[in-house]
Amino acid sequence: MRDLRDRYSAIQQTVGRASFPLTDSVVSSLAKLSGAELVVMEDAYKVASSSLPQQLDVAELIAQIPSPMSPTESDEIAFIRLAGKDYIAKAFKRVGLDDRSSTNRNIVVLFDKDRIDGFSRQAATLPLATGLSTIVLLSTLTIFIAGRLTGRLTKLQTSVERVADGDFESTVADQSNDELGRLGQAVDRMSAQLRKLWLEVNRQQGEKLLHQISAGMAHQLRNTLTGARLALELDQQNRPTFAGDEVAVALRELETAEDYVRRLLLVGAGERQQRDQPALIINCLNDVRSSQAVIAKHLHVELTWGLENSLEGALVNDGSTFSSAIANLVLNALQVAKRVEISAVVDVHDICRVSVVDDGPGVDPALADHVFDPFVTSKPEGMGLGLPLVRRAAEKLSGQVEWCRENGRTRFNFTCQVDFQNSRFENVTADVP
């Protein structure tokens, strides 16, 4: 319609003030140049010339066209129908003519409506095609993105459900850095925290059960051990000629066992020993060596000890705790190996380091990460209480216990804090076990 008005304005400016007569040939030429049909009418509304091929019904034309106006007046259009064909009509008056050329004063401009509609459809084709293709592209892209988001949400939901069911090893996060990726990373952190809490709860439950079992076992064992020790002492007094190193070792082992039972009673009651018993490291290690030598001989295991001079004068805060921990490590090695090596040294930081190395098959890989947890054992007759007590002993003595497998041998490293006789343990003598 804007193009139509521009063409009408061009016709109006060209013809409206022209003084040349509008003959049939001139009107036909103007119609071809402008793309519109022209009808020139006299003042009496008679057709003077026309570019239309058919004869016009002047009355029909006059009845439908708007009133001719001067070029300076506002224009008005009308939709008319002539000889079965639709037109858009506009009319104007020619101005500036003298009386001799006062005819051909009224000009009617007719635009073929079908042709205008064709131009409109042609002009709309490109925007419509562009719009439709854009809609199709955006719809496809939206469906693709929605599908990916739905897939990631489904994966996130499945992983969260696994975490809710107790599978804390499940991972949710992907490599994306969007909101879903960060949500998955948060769920992974939550799962890791839940895994730690779960392990801590299991450990606490195991310790609680250890307390209960310790109390029950200790009450039964204490009476038996006390009776056995008293009987052995009476026999030693009655037959001193037969008392040898074996009887002394047996009595010492019974005393050690009684001390273990006493500690189990304290553990079962959830209490600690009221007073620690400091002892010389070298004495504790010699006691363990003498007691374990009998077991090594019985099991036909080669047992070697390497005690450094730096151990002289070194004191541990609680000798019984240290001895029981080292005895546990040595006994475990003797039960699975043919050769066991024990070495002990005190470094410049007053840390005693005891290493127990054996050539046995090593720790079951399935239990490698849980060897120090209560009730974890690969022995059919074992209860899984030895290594947890070793770990607790190391923690009590301000140290730690670790293990590794290297060159076909298993190594347990036990460390603890020590002091020397010239410090806070001045009253400890060398013969205190």
Side-chain angles (χ1 to χ4, degrees):
M1 293 303 293
R2 188 163 54 246
D3 178 68
L4 183 147
R5 287 189 174 90
D6 291 341
R7 284 194 287 163
Y8 173 74
S9 297
I11 295 171
Q12 192 178 42
Q13 292 174 5
T14 302
V15 180
R17 297 183 179 275
S19 60
F20 55 83
L22 298 177
T23 62
D24 288 339
S25 60
V26 173
V27 169
S28 297
S29 298
L30 290 173
K32 291 178 181 178
L33 291 174
S34 63
E37 303 293 343
L38 300 178
V39 178
V40 182
M41 302 184 66
E42 298 178 351
D43 291 337
Y45 294 102
K46 294 181 180 180
V47 176
S49 59
S50 172
S51 63
L52 293 173
Q54 71 271 20
Q55 295 294 325
L56 293 177
D57 185 343
V58 178
E60 181 182 11
L61 177 62
I62 294 174
Q64 298 183 73
I65 64 172
S67 300
M69 300 179 182
S70 66
T72 59
E73 296 175 340
S74 73
D75 54 347
E76 181 182 356
I77 64 172
F79 294 91
I80 66 175
R81 188 175 182 82
L82 295 175
K85 195 170 184 178
D86 295 322
Y87 294 95
I88 299 175
K90 296 173 69 71
F92 64 91
K93 290 182 179 181
R94 299 179 70 192
V95 296
L97 298 176
D98 55 18
D99 293 339
R100 290 175 299 175
S101 60
S102 59
T103 59
N104 307 339
R105 184 176 293 275
N106 300 320
I107 309 297
V108 179
V109 183
L110 301 175
F111 295 97
D112 189 344
K113 190 173 184 302
D114 291 340
R115 190 175 179 186
I116 297 297
D117 291 342
F119 289 151
S120 300
R121 287 190 296 270
Q122 184 178 358
T125 299
L126 180 60
L128 285 175
T130 304
L132 289 175
S133 60
T134 303
I135 290 173
V136 171
L137 178 61
L138 289 178
S139 300
T140 305
L141 184 61
T142 302
I143 292 173
F144 173 73
I145 295 176
R148 288 195 61 187
L149 289 176
T150 302
R152 293 176 64 192
L153 285 171
T154 302
K155 180 182 176 182
L156 179 61
Q157 177 186 359
T158 302
S159 300
V160 171
E161 288 177 352
R162 287 202 299 265
V163 172
D165 292 336
D167 182 10
F168 302 129
E169 300 294 336
S170 176
T171 56
V172 179
D174 50 26
Q175 301 300 322
S176 302
N177 195 29
D178 54 8
E179 287 77 5
L180 281 179
R182 290 192 289 271
L183 178 59
Q185 294 169 9
V187 173
D188 282 349
R189 290 195 297 270
M190 179 187 68
S191 178
Q193 292 296 327
L194 287 175
R195 181 166 59 251
K196 292 180 180 178
L197 289 175
W198 182 256
L199 293 176
E200 181 65 20
V201 168
N202 285 340
R203 188 182 68 82
Q204 292 178 357
Q205 290 297 323
E207 291 182 352
K208 182 178 179 180
L209 184 58
L210 174 61
H211 294 165
Q212 296 172 351
I213 293 176
S214 300
M217 292 175 57
H219 282 295
Q220 298 296 328
L221 290 174
R222 191 173 192 182
N223 294 333
T224 302
L225 290 172
T226 302
R229 182 174 60 83
L230 292 175
L232 194 58
E233 289 176 349
L234 289 174
D235 185 71
Q236 186 182 31
Q237 293 175 1
N238 294 331
R239 294 188 297 174
T241 56
F242 294 97
D245 292 339
E246 291 79 4
V247 175
V249 170
L251 286 173
R252 189 162 55 247
E253 287 299 304
L254 286 174
E255 291 175 356
T256 303
E258 281 189 299
D259 184 66
Y260 290 164
V261 171
R262 177 179 56 82
R263 291 173 177 274
L264 285 174
L265 284 171
L266 293 173
V267 171
E271 300 175 355
R272 291 188 57 188
Q273 187 177 4
Q274 295 297 323
R275 182 175 178 272
D276 292 332
Q277 298 178 355
L280 288 169
I281 287 282
I282 191 66
N283 288 350
C284 295
L285 292 174
N286 285 331
D287 287 342
V288 174
R289 178 166 59 177
S290 62
S291 63
Q292 299 299 320
V294 178
I295 300 175
K297 183 178 180 180
H298 175 73
L299 296 176
H300 304 288
V301 177
E302 182 181 351
L303 180 62
T304 59
W305 291 76
L307 306 180
E308 300 290 337
N309 294 332
S310 58
L311 297 171
E312 295 294 336
L315 293 156
V316 67
N317 190 43
D318 190 4
S320 298
T321 299
F322 177 80
S323 297
S324 62
I326 302 303
N328 261 299
L329 293 177
V330 175
L331 181 60
N332 286 343
L334 291 175
Q335 291 174 343
V336 296
K338 294 299 182 182
R339 178 180 175 82
V340 178
E341 299 176 1
I342 298 97
S343 61
V345 65
V346 175
D347 62 18
V348 294
H349 301 290
D350 293 343
I351 299 295
C352 178
R353 303 181 183 277
V354 181
S355 296
V356 180
V357 183
D358 66 78
D359 60 356
V363 179
D364 187 349
L367 307 177
D369 296 331
H370 306 283
V371 293
F372 296 108
D373 294 342
F375 311 112
V376 175
T377 181
S378 59
K379 301 176 184 178
E381 73 283 358
M383 295 188 63
L385 300 179
L387 290 178
L389 291 176
V390 171
R391 184 183 66 179
R392 294 187 65 177
E395 293 173 351
K396 178 182 177 180
L397 299 176
S398 302
Q400 62 182 1
V401 59
E402 299 174 335
W403 79 277
C404 63
R405 182 75 177 173
E406 55 184 19
N407 299 325
R409 302 199 302 174
T410 304
R411 177 186 296 272
F412 277 85
N413 294 320
F414 182 95
T415 63
C416 65
Q417 185 71 43
V418 299
D419 209 327
F420 288 86
Q421 279 185 305
N422 58 358
S423 59
R424 61 190 181 95
F425 297 125
E426 294 178 353
N427 296 326
V428 179
T429 57
D431 58 349
V432 176

